[in-house]
Amino acid sequence: MTQAVAAAQAPAPDAAPAEHQPASAAGAETHTLVPYSFPHDKLRMRQTQENKTPLVLVACGSFSPITYLHLRMFEMASDFVRFNTDFEVCAGYLSPVSDAYKKAGLAPGHHRVEMCSRAVAQSSWLMVDPFETVACDPATGEPRYVPTAQVLRHFDHEINTVLGGIEGVDGVRRKARIALLAGADLVMSMGEPGLWSPADLDVILGEYGAFIVERSGTDVEEALASLGKYEGNIWVISQVIQNDISSTKVRLFLKKDLSVRYLIPDPVVEYIDEHGLFQEKQDGGAGKEKASEGPSRSATPQQASKS
């Protein structure tokens, strides 16, 4: 059930918040490397359907580089939501991980943000939030890793507190439901003992929920069995047309000087060529790349891979 937000306390839908230091999950300020402003130009601030809960989908991951599968996940989720739930999608966000993640093949954050921005430039509802890539340690100024639970809290704060929620067709402001969007490998990792913090799982799956896109080679049912307490907050989306494009495979193609056109958006191909990204000499990050990876995250940088 949605919670009403007093209309008198909500800012006008067109009002843009001033640049600010965003609040963390605990309510304290999060320091950023550069001035930060939450992107909401494509966030639909007024619903068009009655008796629906406004929904904002958030995909966290490396996006190094972003692929057509990442984009298709949003479209598949939008279709699923429209035909199978009582939600109304108001926006979708890509949230590239911090450079502090220290994963092999991870391009610098500003490059990944720009590639994602170019990939969604023509979309009417998809945006890129650079928050994770600009979060920093206030003492050192170094990039700071932001756990998934904190990322979702960040979106909740920006959309439901700062912006005042989403206006319903009846004119009443309501809290938007924030939900994680990810591949099936996310659920697989969450089902592994000791990999995710129970407190983080309670926030991610208990408080917010997740829309999971099935992928070939993953046993979603087995993973869901170990996450039974969150069953009502996990929605599984079938891939009617199988797509196993991954950022890892794209990087391997690039290192072998093979074409990646039509695997990733043309503006991203052009950006990679322009900046010479993902060349063999740049592959020096920590960690081990996998042949199949998705926008999954764990509570600490060392615990899981992201696509």
Side-chain angles (χ1 to χ4, degrees):
M1 179 178 296
T2 55
Q3 300 179 30
V5 177
Q9 298 176 345
D14 296 330
E19 288 184 337
H20 62 288
Q21 293 291 353
S24 69
E29 285 187 349
T30 295
H31 293 266
T32 58
L33 296 166
V34 296
Y36 169 83
S37 182
F38 180 69
H40 65 284
D41 54 300
K42 298 179 185 178
L43 173 63
R44 186 147 45 82
M45 298 300 297
R46 193 175 193 279
Q47 291 183 257
T48 60
Q49 302 175 51
E50 294 181 334
N51 303 316
K52 295 280 188 177
T53 300
L55 175 69
V56 173
L57 297 168
V58 178
C60 300
S62 297
F63 305 116
S64 189
I66 186 171
T67 72
Y68 274 125
L69 177 56
H70 293 132
L71 300 175
R72 278 297 304 163
M73 286 172 62
F74 280 98
E75 296 298 328
M76 286 186 280
S78 178
D79 286 341
F80 178 88
V81 167
R82 190 156 49 96
F83 291 108
N84 299 281
T85 74
D86 291 324
F87 295 115
E88 178 182 353
V89 176
C90 293
Y93 284 90
L94 294 157
S95 184
V97 71
S98 166
D99 288 343
Y101 189 60
K102 303 292 185 184
K103 175 191 172 185
L106 189 69
H110 67 280
H111 284 314
R112 290 180 287 114
V113 168
E114 182 60 26
M115 286 188 285
C116 288
S117 297
R118 294 190 180 200
V120 303
Q122 301 304 313
S123 171
S124 63
W125 66 289
L126 297 181
M127 291 165 281
V128 183
D129 183 10
F131 171 69
E132 292 189 67
T133 64
V134 299
C136 70
D137 184 320
T140 65
E142 293 297 315
R144 181 178 69 84
Y145 180 79
V146 186
T148 304
Q150 290 183 24
V151 174
L152 296 180
R153 286 271 172 82
H154 157 73
F155 278 94
D156 192 352
H157 170 78
E158 294 289 349
I159 294 172
N160 291 320
T161 301
V162 178
L163 294 176
I166 305 297
E167 183 181 346
V169 294
D170 57 1
V172 177
R173 287 292 184 97
R174 295 176 171 83
K175 289 186 65 175
R177 176 70 173 268
I178 311 298
L180 187 66
L181 173 64
D185 50 344
L186 174 78
V187 172
M188 298 293 290
S189 71
M190 286 180 167
E192 295 182 25
L195 189 59
W196 287 75
S197 159
D200 277 6
L201 288 180
D202 283 341
V203 172
I204 298 166
L205 299 180
E207 185 175 344
Y208 294 108
F211 287 83
I212 305 298
V213 178
E214 287 185 332
R215 288 186 175 181
S216 57
T218 56
D219 189 346
V220 178
E221 294 302 321
E222 178 182 347
L224 290 177
S226 62
L227 298 170
K229 63 183 289 188
Y230 307 113
E231 182 178 3
N233 258 6
I234 300 175
W235 295 267
V236 179
I237 304 168
S238 298
Q239 269 203 81
V240 178
I241 299 176
Q242 292 297 315
N243 183 340
D244 67 349
I245 297 173
S246 72
S247 297
T248 297
K249 293 177 181 178
V250 170
R251 291 195 299 271
L252 291 175
F253 268 50
L254 289 167
K255 289 174 184 177
K256 294 179 179 180
D257 199 25
L258 298 174
S259 171
V260 293
R261 199 168 293 277
Y262 310 124
L263 295 178
I264 60 179
D266 282 350
V268 178
V269 175
E270 294 163 3
Y271 188 87
I272 290 172
D273 289 343
E274 179 184 349
H275 294 275
L277 301 178
F278 308 115
Q279 301 301 314
E280 188 68 36
K281 62 182 180 181
Q282 295 177 327
D283 184 15
K288 182 177 180 181
E289 295 189 53
K290 298 180 180 180
S292 177
E293 60 181 0
S296 61
R297 352 251 307 248
S298 63
T300 62
Q302 293 76 26
Q303 288 178 328
S305 68
K306 307 174 188 173
S307 176

